[in-house]
Amino acid sequence: MPNFQKDQLFLLIKSLNRAEKRNFTLYANRAQSSGEQPDVRKFTQLFDALDKMSEYDEKTLLEKLKSYKIKKQHLPNLKRHLYKQILTSLRLIHIQKNIDIEIREQLDFARILYGKGMYMQALKILERIKKTAREHQQDILHLEILEFEKHIEARHITRSRSVKGKLEGLLDESAKRSRITLAASLLFNLNIEMQGYYIMYGHIRSDKDGVDVEAFYKKHFPPEVRKRSRLTFFEKVNLSQARMWYAYILLKFPDCLESALEWARLFEQHPQMKEKDPDLYMRALYYVMMFLYFLREPERHALYLQELEIFYKNNAEQLNTNSQTIAFVYFYLAKLNQYLMIGDYDAGVAIIEETQAKLNDYRPYSDIHRILLFHYKFAYFYFASAKYDTALEYLNEVVMLKHGYLREDLHHNARLLQIICHYELKNYDLLTYLINNTYRAFAQTKDVSEVQKATLAFLKKLITTPPSDQRMVFVQFQQELTPLTDSRYERKALLYLDIPGWVESHVQNRPLPEVRATKESQRRQSRL
């Protein structure tokens, strides 16, 4: 794969769509014709050269630019200049798509007018954009506008003073907005604190852990929020997210789902926010689907998956690169989860090639954890379809990366699945080495579930058992798993690696897809 991350300018140019490139060309030509930029010719040639390269190579780049007398010592300054010019041209395009950029531009205009001594015109602009900021839930910008209004009113005798109650209203609105902004910031902090707690400590493993989490949540919950009867859109979003993470740490998946649904419903109450913050909306849908996956509700999951797909198709042209990446990641992860839930492994395998192609396109904008999460899911589908060699190709990429970069349960599951695939391939000469390596990896972390520990011990016992006696070992382990699978502290460990299903397939001597299909049929019957 090309290393897009080598050069920031190259990465920026490769992220541009056709309309953005055309806009930059027009912007550069206008600058050239007006005489504002004497070196426009050089940086447009640099832009064209980088745009045509499939992989960044400075030596090749300098060779292409030789005819324009661009030398190596000129390149850093020229690249910085081009980077700035591209961002300026992008701002001109996105100002109509991003309400915060539009408000900031108007705020800049007001500051310029004020600097010119035209403070009444500045106040008119501020009054107009104040309404826009309020309607679009831009709390911080709203406060900034109010503070600038107060700045003007404090230094000039304006006609506002002749309007009864206007200044008092301004001060009251500023005080109210200050309280809202503070509360919103504190709720945002609470949201981040709960996410950080999960990253640091993971899920609870005992009742004592649950008491500690509750104390942490209460300690960081802002008292200012309890005093207010009405919350703004983003306050409600952050409160829902904080509650969701709190319940997630406690492994209370139904409560997680309820909080995620509250978050998603806010966009139904404020439909304009879907357009203004599509990333937040898609994230809400993804977390709803994630907890429906945890609760094994494929029918409801399919409905929200369809909702995400429709939203993306209707808004694809308006989405920026980051939003396009988020839409891809959330939609395809959820789609793979849908097939996992219903046990349709053939359908999952059928979309891997398509998903991998898109993953390659979005690789420069995706973090390594997301990429390897896809690879783990690909591996699981191939494993369930008895294509163990192909599964190992993806698992090796996950296992070889230092687990500090990954969520630990993903790394542990990948190691266990790697051992199981080699067992199925009868690569017995590798198993002892892999099992010992996994024991060492487990010893380096506290976040290993009892199911994962028991599975590793079982695999170690299995490889020392004669083939004729192995079925009995599977039967014994199936009995050992029963109390573990009933424990609330172990449910998460079974969501992405169906050890009970694999064990049952060996006990019954049936393929894993058949076992999974039977379980899905029984689940549906129990709900009727």
Side-chain angles (χ1 to χ4, degrees):
M1 289 298 299
N3 187 358
F4 291 99
Q5 299 293 344
K6 277 186 177 180
D7 187 89
Q8 291 183 356
L9 175 60
F10 180 71
L11 178 60
L12 176 60
I13 290 173
K14 288 300 177 183
S15 73
L16 302 178
N17 59 37
R18 186 177 299 177
E20 290 167 338
K21 290 177 183 178
R22 184 171 61 252
N23 183 73
F24 171 74
T25 302
L26 293 171
Y27 170 78
N29 289 337
R30 283 196 299 270
Q32 184 177 20
S33 62
S34 65
E36 294 175 5
Q37 304 288 348
D39 56 350
V40 163
R41 181 76 175 163
K42 287 185 178 180
F43 75 68
T44 53
Q45 292 302 326
L46 175 59
F47 177 88
D48 291 338
L50 288 169
D51 187 31
K52 292 173 183 176
M53 295 176 73
S54 59
E55 185 174 359
Y56 182 75
D57 184 283
E58 190 169 290
K59 185 178 178 180
T60 304
L61 178 63
L62 288 169
E63 189 65 31
K64 288 184 175 183
L65 298 172
K66 186 184 291 185
S67 60
Y68 299 99
K69 298 180 181 180
I70 298 174
K71 298 180 180 180
K72 186 172 183 178
Q73 60 267 31
H74 302 146
L75 196 57
N77 285 336
L78 194 58
K79 286 169 67 176
R80 276 194 293 271
H81 185 60
L82 176 56
Y83 193 89
K84 179 181 177 182
Q85 296 304 314
I86 293 173
L87 289 178
T88 303
S89 73
L90 286 173
R91 187 178 187 275
L92 295 173
I93 281 186
H94 292 284
I95 194 167
Q96 296 181 9
K97 298 180 181 179
N98 298 85
I99 194 65
D100 54 334
I101 297 178
E102 182 181 339
I103 293 172
R104 286 189 185 281
E105 182 190 53
Q106 294 296 315
L107 188 54
D108 290 342
F109 290 164
R111 292 187 189 281
I112 292 169
L113 288 170
Y114 177 68
K116 292 286 186 182
M118 303 176 183
Y119 51 85
M120 291 305 298
Q121 291 93 321
L123 284 172
K124 286 181 180 179
I125 290 178
L126 294 175
E127 190 64 34
R128 185 175 68 250
I129 60 173
K130 182 168 61 178
K131 180 182 178 183
T132 304
R134 188 189 305 115
E135 290 173 349
H136 292 87
Q137 314 292 333
Q138 298 293 319
D139 296 331
I140 294 176
L141 282 174
H142 189 177
L143 180 61
E144 187 175 346
I145 294 165
L146 291 167
E147 292 302 303
F148 190 29
E149 276 191 282
K150 286 160 58 179
H151 174 87
I152 296 174
E153 296 285 2
R155 298 192 180 192
H156 300 274
I157 300 175
T158 69
R159 280 177 287 183
S160 298
R161 297 179 187 274
S162 63
V163 179
K164 186 178 180 181
K166 184 164 186 179
L167 285 178
E168 290 77 5
L170 173 62
L171 296 177
D172 288 344
E173 186 178 5
S174 176
K176 178 182 177 183
R177 190 55 50 181
S178 295
R179 290 192 295 271
I180 289 173
T181 304
L182 174 61
S185 178
L186 292 173
L187 281 171
F188 208 160
N189 292 350
L190 177 63
N191 178 16
I192 294 172
E193 290 279 6
M194 296 312 300
Q195 290 187 53
Y197 192 99
Y198 170 67
I199 292 169
M200 183 69 67
Y201 301 107
H203 298 287
I204 62 171
R205 302 176 193 84
S206 65
D207 292 343
K208 181 185 178 303
D209 288 346
V211 172
D212 292 342
V213 175
E214 183 179 2
F216 182 89
Y217 183 76
K218 287 181 177 179
K219 177 183 176 181
H220 290 84
F221 194 94
E224 292 83 356
V225 175
R226 295 191 178 95
K227 299 174 185 177
R228 302 204 15 245
S229 58
R230 297 182 64 183
L231 301 179
T232 64
F233 174 83
F234 284 108
E235 285 179 293
K236 291 176 181 177
V237 165
N238 280 299
L239 182 57
S240 295
Q241 288 187 28
R243 286 172 174 166
M244 182 189 78
W245 285 107
Y246 174 53
Y248 187 51
I249 296 168
L250 293 173
L251 294 166
K252 295 181 177 180
F253 298 146
D255 291 348
C256 293
L257 176 60
E258 185 54 39
S259 294
L261 285 169
E262 285 177 4
W263 172 9
R265 288 184 193 120
L266 287 170
F267 285 91
E268 302 306 322
Q269 298 165 16
H270 304 273
Q272 76 277 12
M273 295 306 296
K274 292 182 183 180
E275 179 185 348
K276 301 306 176 185
D277 200 338
D279 298 1
L280 190 63
Y281 174 59
M282 291 187 290
R283 186 174 171 84
L285 293 180
Y286 175 70
Y287 275 102
V288 169
M289 288 187 288
M290 187 176 81
F291 294 119
L292 287 171
Y293 171 75
F294 286 2
L295 295 168
R296 289 298 189 262
E297 296 192 33
E299 293 84 2
R300 292 178 69 190
H301 185 278
L303 293 175
Y304 283 98
L305 181 60
Q306 185 181 38
E307 185 174 339
L308 176 58
E309 184 176 21
I310 291 171
F311 175 78
Y312 174 71
K313 286 181 177 178
N314 291 341
N315 297 275
E317 293 184 2
Q318 287 75 43
L319 297 180
N320 59 31
T321 304
N322 187 60
S323 299
Q324 292 273 358
T325 305
I326 288 172
F328 157 71
V329 169
Y330 289 164
F331 178 72
Y332 278 89
L333 282 177
K335 196 169 186 179
L336 291 169
N337 283 344
Q338 179 72 22
Y339 292 138
L340 283 174
M341 262 192 292
I342 62 178
D344 193 345
Y345 302 114
D346 289 339
V349 169
I351 67 164
I352 287 178
E353 184 177 350
E354 170 193 338
T355 309
Q356 183 65 69
K358 290 181 179 291
L359 186 60
N360 292 339
D361 292 338
Y362 289 107
R363 183 180 289 264
Y365 320 108
S366 302
D367 63 80
I368 189 65
H369 173 79
R370 291 289 193 192
I371 292 170
L372 294 184
L373 181 58
F374 272 108
H375 285 189
Y376 176 79
K377 289 184 184 293
F378 296 163
Y380 194 84
F381 277 107
Y382 282 123
F383 157 72
S385 302
K387 298 176 181 178
Y388 306 115
D389 283 319
T390 310
L392 284 169
E393 291 176 13
Y394 286 106
L395 288 170
N396 290 338
E397 293 187 44
V398 180
V399 171
M400 286 173 66
L401 187 77
K402 290 182 180 179
H403 71 273
Y405 295 97
L406 294 173
R407 204 177 62 212
E408 287 184 333
D409 59 342
L410 172 61
H411 187 256
H412 299 334
N413 282 340
R415 283 187 172 275
L416 291 173
L417 190 56
Q418 183 188 46
I419 295 169
I420 291 171
C421 286
H422 279 294
Y423 169 79
E424 296 289 3
L425 289 168
K426 297 181 171 52
N427 294 333
Y428 301 127
D429 53 328
L430 290 173
L431 290 176
T432 300
Y433 168 77
L434 291 173
I435 288 173
N436 289 337
N437 265 359
T438 304
Y439 267 112
R440 284 193 288 271
F442 281 12
Q444 293 173 6
T445 176
K446 296 179 181 178
D447 194 19
V448 184
S449 73
E450 294 302 317
V451 167
Q452 290 169 335
K453 291 177 184 177
T455 301
L456 185 57
F458 160 70
L459 290 168
K460 184 177 182 180
K461 180 179 179 181
L462 185 65
I463 65 171
T464 60
T465 303
S468 58
D469 297 333
Q470 286 184 358
R471 183 180 179 280
M472 184 54 63
V473 177
F474 273 103
V475 171
Q476 292 171 353
F477 184 53
Q478 187 179 41
Q479 294 170 351
E480 292 175 29
L481 277 175
T482 301
L484 291 176
T485 55
D486 291 339
S487 170
R488 62 177 289 204
Y489 302 119
E490 298 300 318
R491 289 172 194 162
K492 175 81 181 297
L494 301 169
L495 291 168
Y496 296 106
L497 182 57
D498 186 10
I499 293 297
W502 175 67
V503 170
E504 189 172 340
S505 72
H506 276 272
V507 170
Q508 298 182 9
N509 195 25
R510 297 168 61 203
L512 182 58
E514 287 186 16
V515 172
R516 191 69 190 83
T518 301
K519 285 186 176 181
E520 177 62 18
S521 176
Q522 291 171 347
R523 183 198 65 81
R524 289 181 178 177
Q525 289 296 324
S526 66
R527 292 196 174 190
L528 292 178

